[in-house]
Every structure is written in structure tokens, then in C-alpha cells.
Amino acid sequence: MASQATPVALPDVHDPGALWILDISGYVFRAYHKLPPLSNSLGEPTHAVLGAATMILKLIREYQPALLAVAADSPGRSARKERFAEYKANRPPAPPDLSAQLSRIQDVVRAYEIPIYQEEGFEADDLIASLVRHARQEGLRVVIVSADKDLLQLVGDDVVMFDTDRSKVYGPEETRQKLGVPPHQVRDLLALMGDTSDNVPGVPKVGQKTAAKLLQQFEDIDGVYSSLDQIPQKALNQTLRQHREQALMSRDLVTLRDELSIDFDRERLRWTGGDTKRVRALFAELEFSRLVRQIEIESPSASHDTSAEAQAGRTETAYQLLTSEQAVADLVSRAFESRAIALVPVYGESKASRSHIIGFGLSVQPFEGCYVPVGHRYIGAPAQLEPSAIASLLRPVFEDPQLVRYTDGFKRDLLVWRDLGLPVGSKGSAGDSFLSKNLDVMLLSYLIDPERHRSQLADVVRTELGEELASHPAHGKKKTPLDALEIAVVGEFAARQADCVFRLGALLSERLASAGLAPLYEEMELPLAEVLAEMEETGIRVDVALLSELSEEVTAELARLEAKCFELAGRSFLVSSPRQLEAVLFDELELPVLKRTKTARSTDHDVLEELAGVHELPKVILDYRALAKLKSTYLDALPAQVAEGTGRIHTRYEQSVARTGRLSSVEPNLQNIPIRSERGRRVREAFIPHDGWIMLAADYSQIELRILAHLSQDEALVEAYRTGLDVHRRTASALFGVDESAVDRHMRNQAKTVNFAVIYGQTQFALARNLGISRNEAKRYIDAFFERYQGVRTLMQRVIEEGREQGCVTTLMGRRRPLPDLRSRNHHLRAAAERIARNTPIQGTAADIMKVAMVRVHRRLRAENLSCRMLLTVHDELVFELPKQEQKQVEYSVRQEMEQAIELSVPLVVELGAGSNWGDAH
């Protein structure tokens, strides 16, 4: 029995006698079709570049080739196309975003200083064949890095093909196992069987097995055709005879041209590691954060520069405790040398409380960090500096207008610095030196890419630096206060946090500037953080007695609704149980099953709304659920969230979560209090002002439709807003085919729903459900809308086209939202991305306008030395409390600043209301 052949092996690492040749075009194509669409914050498509660049980096890291070359296809018409016009004719034209990525990957190759072989009229395969011929002449071993079976005809004892995706190495025996023939017969095998990917015709009905058998018997195509009388299969014999010229032409097409005149200079091929700085800068521009970090880890050089470029090579971390004033003073001196510092207060409670700061994490260089404890209280804890002493030592870094300060959660920490008496702007002011040079890594990350943003520092560190940030030291120790943990334990965590914040700040600030987003950060998001910090500190009063009264009313109403449910079902059941409700609706009442989950028949809101037209019980269940949620979320929960010290509720505003740029309110969420129901409106009555003051609500009127008019420049919309016409009435006229004077309230409400459905990109199915009409009727409404407002149709088409081309959509103020799925081949993903693309410029611009308005109003009220306080922001509305005597001046100032927040081609209109509570003001 013959012994099994030994699997072929790759050359040793850094083998000076081995030439590695990368078929880069093939890898870019494979990455383009294999990886999901990806783009950087500028909208440049990058997923194919990322795939190919990752392969290059992995290859050079693991195999360290001494001799290295890249072969690339020529962008022009190939010689094979000249010989056979149908060659590769079945391939669609390369997508525009692929061509750009082919160029970009060549930039990567050049940065790595790898010679690129490319020749007009010839494909990468021919250049590889020519390189192999020269290498053989010089006695070199060759590794062809590719997955192209055409290149297997080059394999021999001194040449292997390496498919990195499958980690498979092909020598002569592996080629035989794969194709059924040795390498020297691969060309004729491909000629006989043809190649559908390249549109090489071959011989019809001759597949790989048949072709391999013919070549095993007759050696090559010439042997096959000189021995046709020895082929007994009549059909095969006849097919071969009929397609002889086609077979010979196919052989010509698949033959690799190894006679090209190329510059084969061993010194040129010698790879010395490339230009690391250039590679890092390119990867940073493309926003390949993990690859940047990988290069930093592997770079042999170190740098003390604070720029993202210069942080390469520093992998050893230096974390230490600072427990003396001199040590902190020395650190401050080093901060002035590096012109930057990271400041990370450490809070003693899981919920940040500035009254309980136990220490400060600080960093002034990449991969360095320190911890200054000030509030650890366990037995045996060493003496610690007073917070006031730290504040005095840090004061110079807060006063220097040129020193950069990196933070993680500026809004949260701002009040800490104020309490310590540091110059971060007097309460309510804005635009001071501290603000102008403060870089919050959370906000930077959010602005650069809101789609991939995660709100926790550990997530940003993982995404941008490719590292894992250790869990909070109190993780799993809920009964142990953080200040009771050893200083060394907390110190290691805090110092590393500060180090990561420092490195992230340098990296992200460069990317923010290159993306053109710096003005959005400096003029909107950063000053807004100060406004939000004050609003959170101020809080809002609630009438606990009224909430309790409402809760009792709702409890009684829930009991009545529950009894009604029992009556309609014919028995009692647990109304809040989806499983029991499922049995009642579908097994006992035999209502139609509209949707299924993985484990049950759905009883969600949409299902119940549709079933409400069939039976009364689903409608009562919906009423029950709405009231139960109102009771648990607001009536019973809000009193428990009143702070003891202030008697107010202090919601927290999330500034870096919503992908559209909107602010969100949490703990508790005060933005989703229902206003359509009577009881929902009464909940707002429980929000009351300071004793003897009044509340004022300022609400943008139809701001999103006004933005739509501006963006679309639709004549009918623009005219309506410039002349003060009712847009909803105008739309109703188009939907129902009546004169505007004949539009009744029902028609107007239907039209209002349609107007906003267009803004939010709703489908006809969603609109039909919302209006309780048929899908055909909903489609007619949408068609009628676009027929009336042709400019809007044009805008929507343009936004999607530009988004597909650029990889992102933008607001009027430049906020970007990447949408790679606009290029997806998956219809559902693409359709969802198109709906987002249509909505984002409108809703995102509305969010931006509100943020600008908040900053302007805040500054105006302080400049006029008014007592008025901004309390809430709820979508398009701002809520204030103020002394009655300030009402006239506040109304004038608020209206002016809000209406002038941005200049549109149609007027922005603000509606004002005042009263003794939020409900009355609204």
C-alpha cells in the first residue's frame, strides 16, 4: 500500500528564499461580497478595504515574509476581452463603492511599502504567473496568497497557493485532490469544463469529473481531440466534435501569460516592515480602530506625543497612587509639558453623587495613569488629601486656555468642579476657557458614529482601543460601598480609566476634526451639556397628593375594566398574563391568530388593535394596559423618586444615545407622559412650579413639517408656511378631493397623520393600521400627498441617492448618521435604511434646532439676570418656572431665541402657554 503524501507546508517565518505574492484584487472582491456594508463617519465605504487590510496585517504578523509583492488587476479592458468579447460578460459592472475601495486598498499596500505589480491590459493572474517564472529562475520558493483556482496551474514543488480564508495550502497533491488532476493539467481542465464566473464557455455538458477523466486518459486537450475515436460515449463524442474551436478558445482564455516584462528586483521585493506611521494614519482616517490598536501594540518604537498618531508602541502601563501634594503638583507640571490632562472623578456610590467623591483618576501621558484618593473611609485607610487641596493644585489646568482637558461624562462631572470652586464658568455662564478646551470622549464617540455608539466607557474602549476595561471594583459587591474598598483596588481601576480617557480623547478628537464635526461639538453639544447639568440639578416639583389621588381613581377604573374583561370572556382570568389572555382570545373566543412569536400566539399592542374590530375584549384589554402602565410608571413611581433634600424629581438627560440626535430622559423618563388621554394630561398637572411662581411652556409649532418645507423647497408647503395657511387642511384637501373650506375636523386629523407618516417614513401598512383604513386606501393617501407636494417626493429620492452614494445622511447642521444598509442586497434591511434616511435629516435637524435653542435661551436668561429656570425639554417643547412678574420678559426672550435658532426659508413659530402647573401651561 502506498504511503499517504505529506501535506504541503508553508515556508518558515521570514524565510529569505521565499517570495509571497498577494492576489489583492481577489481579496478585495471577496471581502466586498462577504462582509456587511461599512463606512466611516465621512460616509466613505470601507468594508472591502477592512477585509483586505485585515488579511494583509494578519499575514505579515504571522508569517513575516522576507520577500513580498502584490499583484492587482488593471482597471482597463483586458487582452482576453479583446480576444473574446463575451469574456466575463455575465458579471455586472463593479458598484461605484467597490472601485473606490480598490483604490483605497492600494493606498494601504503603498503605506506598507509593498511593491504593486499592475499592467494595462493584463489581469493579476498574468502578473502572478510572470512573477512565478522569474522567481523559479532565481531559485526562490513562492507562496501565492489567493483562492483563485486558475492559479493552481502554477503550483509545483516550489510553488504553493495559500487560501487564507480557509487556512488551506495547495501543493501538487492538494490540487489533485481538489480538481482531480495535477497542476500541469489544470489549464486544460478549466478549458474543457469552462468557468461560469469568467464566462469561459468550455464544452457544454462536460463537467469537472468528465474533464478530469478525459485528461487522465489523454493527457491534454490536443490528446483528447486526436483520440476522439477512442471515446465510446456517443453524446460526449459528438459534443466534443461540435465544440472543438470553443474548447481551444477556452484554453487560450484560461492560459496564464507568464511572459510579461516586469521589474523583478529582489531588493525591491525585500520587505522591511513598511511605514508604520503612514499605515496608522491611513487606518485612523478610515476609522479602523482595532487595526490602529493592533499596530500600536506591535510597533517597536515608543512615543511620548499625545496625538493619536504618536501613541504607537506604548504597551506597558504605568499606574500609581498619589498621596502627597508634591506628587500631585509634579503631575500638574507634567500636564503643562504634554499640554493635556485626563480628569476622572471617582464617585462613592453606584449612582453618581457629587457630594460623595472618593478620589480622582488623572493622566497626562498615554499608557500612564494615577489615582488621588480623598474619601476612603475603611479602618486602616491611610491619610488622604482633602478635596479642597486637590482643587487648589488642579486650578492651573482649569485656568489655562490652551491646555486640553479630556473627560468621560462632562455633564456629570461639571458640577463636581463647581462645588470645588474651580473656574468652570460661574453658574449659568458659557463659553469660558474650560468649556472651549474640554473634550468629552463620550460625546466625541457619539458624534463620530451614533450607529455604533455605546454609552459606557468600557464599550468605547473596546471599540476604539481594542482593549477590555476591567469591571468596576464594586462589581458584585453591592453591600460594600466603594469608599470601603482598599485604595489600591480602586486606584488601579481609576488610573486605567484616566489612561483610556486620555488616549481616547487624542484619538477621537483627531477623527472628529477630520470628519468636520468639531463645530457641532464645540458650539452645540458641549455648551448644551452645561445647560443639561443645571436642569438636572434644579429638578422639578411634583404634587404628590394629586398623584396619589389619581392613583386611587385609576385603581378603581382598573377594577371596573377587569370586571368588564371577565364579562366579555365569560370567566375570570389574570388580565395581565399574556398566556392566559392568549387562551381566552384564540382557544375560547376563537379569534383569528394574526402573529406568532417563537413560543406563542402574540397578544401585543398591534394584534389587539386589529382584533378590536372583531371583538370588544381586545379593546378593553388595551384600555386596561394603558391605565396599568400609567399607574405603575408615573402615578405610583414618581412620588418615590422625589429627592429628600430638594423635594423635587431630578431626571437625567442622556445626550449620547438617540441616533437622531434627540435628547432622552431617564430615571425617570419625563418625556413619554401620555397627553392624548384625559388622565395622561392630568399627570402633567401634578408638575408644579416653585411656590408663588408660574410655569411656562414653549413649543415649536410643526417644526418638522417646516424643516421639510425648507429642505424640499416644495412651492405649496413653502407658500403655506410663509402665508400662515393650515398645512394639515391643505393636505386634507388633496387627500379627499375637496376645497379647503370644506375640510372638517376628521379630515384634518387624517391629513395630520398622513403628514407625519411621510416624515417618519411610515409604510402604507403602518398608516393603514394607524388610521384604521385599508392598505389600498392608505396607499392612495400617500400617493395623493406626493402628488400635491412634488418637491417632497424629489427630496426623498435625492436623500436616498445621496445617502447610498456617501454612506450616510446629514442634518442641516452637519450631524451625520451612517447608513451602510442603503447598499444592502437584503431588501428588508435596505428598505428599513431608506425609511431612516428619509426621516433623519428632518427629525435630526429638529433635534439640533432644539439643542441650539436651549443653549441660546439659557445664555439669554442669564445675561438678563432673570430668576427663570429651564426645567424640562420634551421633544419640541421647553418648560420653565419663573416669578409671575418676569412672564412678559421671559416670553419675549424665549420666543426670540427659539425662533432665531436657525434661519430657514419658512418662519419658525413658537407657541407659548403659562399656568399654575405644566398641564395648564401646555
Side-chain angles (χ1 to χ4, degrees):
M1 180 180 295
S3 61
Q4 188 172 0
T6 304
V8 67
L10 292 170
D12 293 336
V13 171
H14 206 67
D15 183 345
L19 170 63
W20 294 67
I21 308 171
L22 279 63
D23 174 18
I24 198 65
S25 300
Y27 272 94
V28 175
F29 278 108
R30 291 180 75 179
Y32 180 83
H33 293 292
K34 180 180 179 181
L35 299 177
L38 181 70
S39 60
N40 63 13
S41 57
L42 294 175
E44 177 185 6
T46 58
H47 63 288
V49 187
L50 176 61
T54 301
M55 183 275 295
I56 293 174
L57 191 56
K58 184 175 187 291
L59 186 79
I60 61 180
R61 182 181 69 248
E62 295 183 2
Y63 301 101
Q64 301 173 31
L67 303 174
L68 184 58
V70 160
D73 288 331
S74 164
R77 187 179 177 90
S78 73
R80 288 180 177 83
K81 191 78 172 176
E82 299 294 339
R83 293 195 296 274
F84 179 51
E86 298 302 311
Y87 179 67
K88 294 188 176 180
N90 56 341
R91 294 190 183 183
D97 62 327
L98 175 58
S99 301
Q101 295 189 77
L102 284 166
S103 173
R104 271 300 209 176
I105 196 60
Q106 291 203 21
D107 292 342
V108 174
V109 172
R110 291 189 185 96
Y112 272 114
E113 297 181 342
I114 306 170
I116 301 176
Y117 288 84
Q118 189 175 36
E119 182 139 348
E120 187 68 29
F122 293 95
E123 298 175 50
D125 291 1
D126 300 317
L127 290 155
I128 292 172
S130 298
L131 283 166
V132 167
R133 179 175 64 84
H134 282 281
R136 278 175 164 151
Q137 290 172 356
E138 298 219 4
L140 299 172
R141 290 189 66 194
V142 178
V143 180
I144 303 169
V145 184
S146 178
D148 187 348
K149 64 180 181 297
D150 291 5
L151 294 171
L152 289 173
Q153 53 189 294
L154 299 174
V155 166
D157 292 336
D158 52 355
V159 177
V160 297
M161 188 176 87
F162 181 26
D163 181 351
T164 55
D165 276 5
R166 298 177 178 82
S167 297
K168 177 71 175 178
V169 183
Y170 293 92
E173 181 57 31
E174 289 78 13
T175 301
R176 184 192 300 275
Q177 292 173 5
K178 178 179 177 65
L179 297 179
V181 297
H184 74 273
Q185 289 182 322
V186 168
R187 180 192 66 169
D188 287 16
L189 178 88
L190 296 173
L192 286 169
M193 62 184 282
D195 186 344
T196 55
S197 64
D198 289 344
N199 204 35
V200 175
V203 178
K205 299 182 180 179
V206 173
Q208 180 179 317
K209 290 184 178 179
T210 300
K213 288 180 180 178
L214 288 172
L215 294 175
Q216 289 164 9
Q217 185 176 358
F218 304 112
E219 186 60 27
D220 56 23
I221 284 181
D222 292 334
V224 170
Y225 277 102
S226 64
S227 309
L228 286 176
D229 56 347
Q230 297 181 38
I231 300 176
Q233 298 93 334
K234 187 177 295 185
L236 175 60
N237 195 309
Q238 185 176 1
T239 298
L240 287 167
R241 290 178 188 276
Q242 290 176 348
H243 297 90
R244 176 172 182 154
E245 293 304 318
Q246 190 166 292
L248 296 177
M249 180 193 66
S250 296
R251 181 174 65 179
D252 182 53
L253 291 174
V254 300
T255 297
L256 302 182
R257 309 298 172 185
D258 66 358
E259 72 281 2
L260 302 185
S261 177
I262 59 174
D263 177 17
F264 191 90
D265 181 349
R266 192 180 291 203
E267 283 305 310
R268 182 190 179 202
L269 296 168
R270 195 176 308 283
W271 190 65
T272 57
D275 185 340
T276 304
K277 182 177 180 181
R278 184 178 171 191
V279 173
R280 189 187 309 112
L282 182 57
F283 283 173
E285 181 183 343
L286 292 165
E287 298 174 13
F288 296 164
S289 302
R290 290 183 185 275
L291 298 191
V292 170
R293 176 57 186 154
Q294 199 167 320
I295 293 170
E296 290 176 353
I297 292 173
E298 295 165 2
S299 172
S301 62
S303 170
H304 295 281
D305 197 335
T306 63
S307 68
E309 275 187 9
Q311 289 186 24
R314 295 291 305 281
T315 61
E316 295 183 6
T317 53
Y319 300 149
Q320 58 181 316
L321 291 174
L322 303 184
T323 55
S324 71
E325 291 190 17
Q326 185 59 51
V328 177
D330 290 343
L331 184 84
V332 170
S333 296
R334 293 184 60 215
F336 281 97
E337 293 173 7
S338 67
R339 308 304 304 155
I341 186 171
L343 301 154
V344 181
V346 180
Y347 299 87
E349 302 170 7
S350 57
K351 291 185 179 181
S353 170
R354 69 181 194 274
S355 62
H356 191 194
I357 296 295
I358 65 169
F360 299 91
L362 304 171
S363 175
V364 297
Q365 284 286 345
F367 300 99
E368 293 183 11
C370 63
Y371 179 59
V372 185
V374 297
H376 290 259
R377 304 171 183 171
Y378 59 88
I379 297 175
Q384 299 160 61
L385 295 174
E386 290 295 325
S388 58
I390 300 299
S392 178
L393 291 165
L394 289 177
R395 177 173 290 275
V397 305
F398 282 79
E399 292 176 333
D400 190 315
Q402 299 305 317
L403 194 144
V404 176
R405 289 157 289 266
Y406 300 126
T407 61
D408 162 36
F410 169 72
K411 174 171 66 68
R412 175 197 61 210
D413 299 341
L414 175 63
L415 300 177
V416 172
W417 307 125
R418 277 195 185 151
D419 285 351
L420 289 173
L422 289 167
V424 294
S426 60
K427 187 173 182 180
S429 71
D432 68 340
S433 62
F434 180 79
L435 280 178
S436 66
K437 283 294 181 179
N438 189 83
L439 294 171
D440 182 344
V441 295
M442 293 297 100
L443 289 179
L444 297 180
S445 173
Y446 172 65
L447 285 174
I448 289 168
D449 192 348
E451 288 294 307
R452 292 180 294 184
H453 177 74
R454 296 294 182 270
S455 60
Q456 298 299 315
L457 178 62
D459 296 310
V460 182
V461 168
R462 184 182 302 111
T463 301
E464 301 294 348
L465 301 181
E467 300 176 16
E468 291 297 326
L469 192 62
S471 299
H472 194 280
H475 182 69
K477 302 178 181 179
K478 295 181 179 179
K479 295 181 180 179
T480 304
L482 198 59
D483 60 358
L485 295 177
E486 289 187 11
I487 288 175
V489 173
V490 178
E492 177 72 15
F493 174 77
R496 177 157 168 70
Q497 270 198 320
D499 164 38
C500 289
V501 167
F502 191 98
R503 286 186 281 144
L504 282 171
L507 173 68
L508 296 177
S509 59
E510 289 181 8
R511 285 176 52 192
L512 189 85
S514 65
L517 294 168
L520 200 65
Y521 174 79
E522 295 167 0
E523 299 167 16
M524 181 192 298
E525 296 292 356
L526 185 61
L528 177 67
E530 184 184 26
V531 178
L532 295 174
E534 279 200 19
M535 291 170 64
E536 291 178 9
E537 182 183 34
T538 300
I540 187 168
R541 287 182 73 196
V542 293
D543 185 338
V544 175
L546 176 57
L547 290 174
S548 178
E549 179 185 326
L550 289 174
S551 181
E552 291 179 6
E553 290 180 14
V554 168
T555 299
E557 180 64 10
L558 286 172
R560 187 191 70 78
L561 290 173
E562 183 180 55
K564 183 67 174 178
C565 289
F566 296 166
E567 177 187 338
L568 293 170
R571 69 173 178 87
S572 63
F573 65 99
L574 186 59
V575 177
S576 60
S577 167
R579 298 290 73 82
Q580 291 190 30
L581 177 60
E582 176 190 7
V584 170
L585 293 179
F586 305 121
D587 296 332
E588 299 170 25
L589 298 180
E590 298 183 347
L591 298 182
V593 177
L594 302 179
K595 185 166 66 174
R596 293 181 181 274
T597 66
K598 291 182 178 179
T599 58
R601 295 160 292 184
S602 175
T603 60
D604 67 14
H605 186 274
D606 292 343
V607 168
L608 293 180
E609 273 199 335
E610 196 159 342
L611 291 177
V614 180
H615 195 279
E616 187 180 354
L617 178 59
K619 174 63 172 67
V620 179
I621 294 291
L622 285 172
D623 292 342
Y624 182 94
R625 286 182 178 178
L627 273 183
K629 182 177 181 179
L630 183 71
K631 184 176 188 296
S632 63
T633 306
Y634 298 107
L635 303 181
D636 295 343
L638 289 179
Q641 291 173 306
V642 174
E644 288 186 14
T646 66
R648 290 173 172 248
I649 289 176
H650 300 268
T651 186
R652 189 174 79 250
Y653 288 102
E654 295 286 1
Q655 196 175 352
S656 57
V657 173
R659 294 169 180 175
T660 59
R662 277 186 180 269
L663 295 167
S664 58
S665 162
V666 296
E667 297 181 352
N669 181 355
L670 299 181
Q671 294 184 330
N672 284 348
I673 298 174
I675 59 173
R676 294 184 179 179
S677 67
E678 175 60 29
R679 283 196 174 86
R681 287 190 289 271
R682 290 189 65 193
V683 171
R684 292 196 171 203
E685 294 176 6
F687 290 84
I688 56 177
H690 178 70
D691 285 340
W693 288 19
I694 61 171
M695 297 194 88
L696 176 73
D699 196 353
Y700 276 118
S701 170
Q702 301 179 4
I703 185 172
E704 291 175 338
L705 283 171
R706 293 172 189 273
I707 292 167
L708 178 63
H710 173 82
L711 292 173
S712 68
Q713 286 300 296
D714 180 88
E715 292 182 3
L717 273 180
V718 170
E719 179 200 9
Y721 281 118
R722 284 179 176 171
T723 57
L725 297 177
D726 185 335
V727 171
H728 298 321
R729 184 173 295 277
R730 173 162 286 195
T731 300
S733 172
L735 298 186
F736 298 102
V738 299
D739 188 83
E740 290 185 31
S741 61
V743 171
D744 59 25
R745 183 176 180 181
H746 173 73
M747 292 177 180
R748 185 184 184 278
N749 287 339
Q750 296 280 85
K752 181 177 179 180
T753 302
V754 172
N755 283 337
F756 287 104
V758 171
I759 289 176
Y760 289 102
Q762 284 186 2
T763 64
Q764 64 192 57
F765 307 105
L767 180 61
R769 184 177 65 247
N770 290 340
L771 291 179
I773 58 178
S774 70
R775 291 173 181 174
N776 287 338
E777 186 71 357
K779 182 179 184 303
R780 188 186 71 77
Y781 281 6
I782 293 174
D783 290 344
F785 175 94
F786 284 117
E787 185 64 30
R788 169 59 63 94
Y789 305 118
Q790 293 283 340
V792 176
R793 184 195 301 276
T794 302
L795 169 69
M796 298 302 184
Q797 293 170 345
R798 185 176 73 245
V799 165
I800 291 173
E801 290 169 3
E802 291 176 353
R804 187 170 290 123
E805 179 182 338
Q806 298 170 5
C808 68
V809 292
T810 61
T811 68
L812 273 176
M813 296 185 181
R815 186 183 303 275
R816 288 186 173 89
R817 184 171 183 182
L819 289 174
D821 282 342
L822 286 173
R823 304 191 188 100
S824 175
R825 295 184 177 183
N826 182 305
H827 168 73
H828 297 291
L829 291 177
R830 190 173 63 253
E834 288 175 355
R835 287 194 292 273
I836 294 171
R838 287 190 287 265
N839 166 251
T840 295
I842 302 168
Q843 190 179 96
T845 296
D848 288 347
I849 291 173
M850 176 55 83
K851 288 180 174 181
V852 170
M854 291 175 70
V855 172
R856 290 174 62 111
V857 168
H858 181 265
R859 290 176 178 173
R860 177 77 171 263
L861 295 177
R862 295 302 166 254
E864 295 177 345
N865 199 30
L866 295 169
S867 301
C868 175
R869 297 184 291 209
M870 194 185 307
L871 302 180
L872 295 175
T873 172
V874 183
H875 306 313
D876 305 328
E877 177 185 6
L878 291 178
V879 180
F880 306 84
E881 64 177 359
L882 60 150
K884 176 66 176 174
Q885 61 269 24
E886 290 184 358
Q887 181 179 352
K888 186 175 181 180
Q889 185 176 353
V890 169
E891 287 182 349
Y892 175 80
S893 298
V894 167
R895 186 191 301 277
Q896 189 175 60
E897 295 301 333
M898 290 182 71
E899 292 185 346
Q900 294 177 4
I902 189 175
E903 185 176 348
L904 301 178
S905 54
V906 298
L908 277 178
V909 174
V910 172
E911 296 176 345
L912 299 171
S916 60
N917 57 63
W918 184 14
D920 288 347
H922 193 269

